Amino acid sequence: MNEIPVSNTRAFETYNARFLTTSEVARTFIPPPQYDGLLDQNHTVLFGPRGSGKTTLLKMLQLSSLLEWKHESAAAARANLPFHAIFLGTDVLWGSQLESRTAAIADAEKTAQIRRTSFRLHLAVAFLNALNEARDSRLADDEGLKRFALTITSEMEAEIANALASIWKLTLTTRSLLGVRTAVQVQLAELLGLVNRLRIDAKVELPDFAHLEPILSITQAIDLTNQSIGQPNRRWAILCDELEIAPAMIRLELFQLLRSSAHHVALKFSFFPYSSDVEVAALSGPSAPTAGHDYTPLDLTYGYREGAYEFCQALLAGMIVNAGGPEHLDPQSMLGDGWFDGGRRHRRMQTSAYAPNSDYHRRAQQLMKVDPSFRHWMSQNGIDIRHIHEMDENAQAPFRKALPFILTRSEFLGRERHRSRKSFSLYTGTRSMFSLSEGNPRVFINLMRPLVTEFVRRQGTVPVVVQAHSAETTLHRFKSSLSAIPSQKVGPIRSILHLIDIVGNYFQVEQLDSAFRSEPPCTFKVDEEVSPELLELVGRALNSGGFVRMDDGHSAGVNILRGAQLRLSYTLAPEYKLPLATGRQINLSTIVAALTAGRRKNPGYQQQARLPFSAEPQ
Amino acid sequence: MDSTRRLRIAVLTDCHAYTSRPEDKGNSPSWLDLAKGQTDAAQNPFAGLEKLAIRDSDVRADVVLCCGDLGDKANPDGLQYVWREVNQLKDLLEADLVLGTAGNHDMDSRYVYNDHDARSQVQALKPLFPVDDERHWLEYWAKNFTILKHEDVRIVILNTAAYHGYAKDPLNPEYVHGRVSEGTIARLVTELTEAGPCAANLLVCHHHPFRNNRIVDQDYSEMTNGEHLINKIVEAKIGPWLVIHGHKHSARVFYAFGSSSAPTVFAAASFAARAYPNQVGQSYNEFYIVDLEIPAAPGATSSLKGRIRTWNWTYGNGWRRSQVGEGLGPSSGFGSRSDPAELATTMAGTMGGSFKGQTVSWKQVEASFPAVRHLIPEDLDALIHHLTQFHSFGFTRDLDRKEIAEVQVP
């Protein structure tokens, strides 16, 4: 088919990268800081929740994607790529669907072997795809990638086909790579037939090809291919995407492989931040692979929001150019400054952010009028609102630290406690909007797409009301995605969304309803008192992006959740009227205990806290 | 470079467009329901075709051909909608000419919309149907056929539903079958003979000239006098023929009865009709581009040669190239009447010498044995069977359309 180039129809769409072609992925790929970490020959595990760009990152290691990539960093990436990538995308056949189809087979060992074989066959197809990519004639013309170009003569092809047929126990109709691929498909079809037969009769014998070890058979294939093409030292990387939906057994076996060190085959996995079986395996003793030693962990979340700014700025610039806007645009000119941006406007104007009539000063003054506890705190700390700007930095420090909470209290505490409107405008402005996205490309694109369109249309700063509207839409979309995740009830906690609600409401009560403190709790620790069931639910919330990990848990061990410091996603901050800030940590068990204690004292407590504020008793 | 002149003919037929009503129950006749949206490429075959043609520059034709049954049961909205859409394909496919022919569903033979004139709706279509030219329009409706010439190809458009609504026998209603009368055959043959030989002749009609029992056990809907018509146009000795027809909603390419000069018949499947209950799983919605090779001169060949590319439409997915095993398959040749067994023996002898033990691409095989490209699907299957069974060849199909991609020479 002669494809007529279609304009960037799916560019910066929020589709799952799973459904995009390599050229579609490459067209708009903006590398996050973690990308460079993938470009080495070490084993790597990418940890990230939904939408954090795991699939995109792995796909961007393939020759076909790198060839299409036009970004300014592309030439360096092509030059530095140390391996020929074999990308194994998620496939329902080796994912959870196979898990359910094989569940009815009585013989556990046969079931395990079928799952391994299905994985192996998909890996074989991925290897053949990778070989095909290297035959693209355009590779030879690319300075960085030409070392990966393969010219496979028909004799060479027949030799490779025969070798693969021998180690993979294939029956070839033609001695070619297509013949190999077809034979692999035949084995896959036979395997599915076998599953159906085994469900009826567990005594059915497995064919020879179903006894091969997945990774061994692929490393053998790599060795033999390297020999045939005359490049015995050619390096490869096996990229396994979305391991969280692979059968647990495969996931664990792959995880254990990170301890191996076949020097010419690197493993790159992508994974949810938490998986209970991997946690168990990681804790299982000296044979478990260790982060930083056996593999490099790369976390795609940003515990501290500043970490995501550079990537968000680059992503926004890409979206603007793609929408027909100018290049090299200062994002401030599109989104302006925000309340949580750290007083950047004042710094630019070289005025004190706390001077009388400054925005922050007015906010503090407003809060003084309505919040006796804040007045008390100010006087206790010896801060005179009229002279803060004249104080030295050390003396200003408590006020500076308390500023995010001053902002939310002044916004949401009126003469009547909790003014009823839900204010999203507090969260607008460049860095605040970046923070709302959590540096998650899918959320970011959802959040920014209408704003970019508006910006290109009006050629000027996007009004606060438009930004606020997009933040609200993004919040609702995020919440619906959270509510769609199936989860089991843990005691009084019904679901992931309910757990998030409990934590969000707790922080809200602590930050808005209690007396003013400069450091109310904002983050929580998954402490020892947390039950295994609740831990699992917290893990799922982490995987969904509802919670974000604050500590560098992956380098300390593998993704071990107990003891971790977490916070609520900033995307949800407007929902609970929380500032875009981090602060003191509290035990999760304390938060959950407050729920049950509140219920004991006042059974309606928790329900009331979830009501819109306008409906609350004054 | 191949200097053969070609005529590309886009073929779509049996659209059966209709307007559903809320009270309708049971099977709906077509994916073209005018009560529903018409812009979704995955739900409306015309919208889908537009998307396909925009994306794929190979979806182009010189002539757009619609073999009847535009609307369902002479639904006037359906007739108008489909004819307008078919005419819009002219620009989309960069074609020069749009042609149609009437089907049984285009005649109001049950007088639902009119109490005396079964042709009124179809004759009222604008642009003029079946060809937007006053003289040809008059001829078609007066003589039941008209003859055009395009790019050295003679095209006969025949009305096989000419008597629908006019026969008297209530026990044997005319609308259940097609018909070409003795008078029409005589007039047609006279005109063809007077015009003399032509390098390529195309007969376009709605009904099939021969009984087709491939799907339905008892088929009585063929064109009465169809065999006679075919015999007469062959006897006229005015050049090779390709017959393109619709009606059966079932695709097949085959050779008519008689000699090696008998016409090639291309039965096109429906563009948009939903499968009848007894055809589910056997009937596909298809769109075709016939790549007809125009012989260098009259008398150059007894069999027109060419290839047909097929696209398959499924609700929710839109158009994509068909796979082997679906309807006509992704592509079909026609015009080479070689004996498959003899051809297999020749190929085995030649290839066994020059390519012994090698894997050869099918393209290379076609280049070495051009007759292979023009085998109809059933002959191609026979050839592969002979090469596998009697000469130990191996074949690998591509993963996309499941067409033969490579041959392993023993």
Side-chain angles (χ1 to χ4, degrees), chain B residues 347-363:
Chain B
M347 287 171 72
T350 310
M351 294 179 72
S354 48
F355 297 110
K356 188 175 175 62
Q358 291 183 30
T359 301
V360 184
S361 77
W362 187 245
K363 279 199 174 77

Side-chain angles (χ1 to χ4, degrees), chain A residues 210-271:
Chain A
H211 291 287
L212 299 172
E213 282 302 312
I215 295 293
L216 182 65
S217 69
I218 203 77
T219 49
Q220 283 176 336
I222 286 172
D223 283 342
L224 289 167
T225 305
N226 281 358
Q227 294 300 334
S228 294
I229 60 176
Q231 298 179 26
N233 296 318
R234 189 183 178 94
R235 291 179 167 192
W236 297 75
I238 299 172
L239 321 178
C240 296
D241 192 24
E242 297 187 278
L243 273 190
E244 61 270 7
I245 55 175
M249 182 202 74
I250 297 285
R251 179 164 55 236
L252 284 173
E253 288 183 3
L254 285 175
F255 187 70
Q256 290 296 339
L257 281 172
L258 293 169
R259 289 227 65 179
S260 71
S261 53
H263 66 281
H264 61 292
V265 183
L267 301 170
K268 312 267 173 191
F269 300 154
S270 88
F271 212 170

Side-chain angles (χ1 to χ4, degrees), chain B residues 27 214-218 248-249 274-283:
Chain B
N27 297 321
R214 217 180 183 201
I215 291 184
V216 184
D217 289 336
Q218 295 300 318
K248 287 304 291 179
H249 301 194
R274 297 176 70 153
Y276 297 129
N278 62 343
Q279 292 183 353
V280 173
Q282 302 179 70
S283 173

Side-chain angles (χ1 to χ4, degrees), chain B residues 19-158:
Chain B
T19 308
S20 65
R21 295 164 304 177
E23 64 270 26
D24 282 348
K25 289 197 176 75
N27 297 321
S28 42
S30 170
W31 300 112
L32 296 170
D33 176 358
L34 304 184
K36 293 190 176 148
Q38 286 145 31
T39 54
D40 189 329
Q43 297 183 9
N44 179 297
F46 279 114
L49 191 56
E50 183 179 351
K51 184 179 173 188
L52 174 73
I54 288 169
R55 288 182 72 95
D56 186 349
S57 62
D58 280 347
V59 182
R60 296 292 180 271
D62 305 305
V63 178
V64 178
L65 192 61
C66 178
C67 301
D69 282 2
L70 283 67
D72 194 65
K73 299 186 184 69
N75 179 300
D77 296 340
L79 284 167
Q80 288 171 30
Y81 169 74
V82 169
W83 190 232
R84 191 188 69 224
E85 290 291 329
V86 169
N87 275 276
Q88 282 176 359
L89 291 179
K90 186 176 168 188
D91 286 341
L92 189 67
L93 306 182
E94 299 170 7
D96 313 315
L97 184 63
V98 175
L99 298 174
T101 191
N104 45 315
H105 281 263
D106 301 320
M107 313 299 281
D108 186 12
S109 44
R110 294 174 180 86
Y111 300 118
V112 176
Y113 303 99
N114 189 307
D115 63 3
H116 57 281
D117 184 359
R119 301 173 169 191
S120 62
Q121 293 295 339
V122 70
Q123 283 184 333
L125 288 174
K126 288 286 168 60
L128 294 175
F129 179 91
V131 51
D132 191 23
D133 176 278
E134 182 83 8
R135 183 175 73 82
H136 287 296
W137 183 83
L138 285 169
E139 277 184 7
Y140 180 84
W141 292 110
K143 300 192 295 188
N144 303 328
F145 69 87
T146 185
I147 303 174
L148 304 89
K149 199 140 188 207
H150 190 77
E151 300 279 338
D152 286 345
V153 176
R154 176 160 47 201
I155 306 172
V156 177
I157 310 175
L158 176 68

Side-chain angles (χ1 to χ4, degrees), chain A residues 1-6 9 24 154-155 157-158 172-182 185, chain B residues 52-58 60 357-359 393-399 401 405-409:
Chain A
M1 184 165 103
N2 286 351
E3 282 270 332
I4 295 174
V6 179
T9 36
E24 281 173 325
S154 51
E155 290 78 18
E157 187 167 352
L172 298 182
T173 48
T174 52
R175 287 191 285 279
S176 64
L177 290 175
L178 180 65
V180 171
R181 183 184 289 264
T182 305
Q185 297 290 353
Chain B
L52 174 73
I54 288 169
R55 288 182 72 95
D56 186 349
S57 62
D58 280 347
R60 296 292 180 271
Q358 291 183 30
T359 301
F393 276 52
F395 292 89
T396 299
R397 293 177 180 272
D398 69 48
L399 298 167
R401 299 177 197 155
E406 294 172 342
V407 181
Q408 183 65 49
V409 183

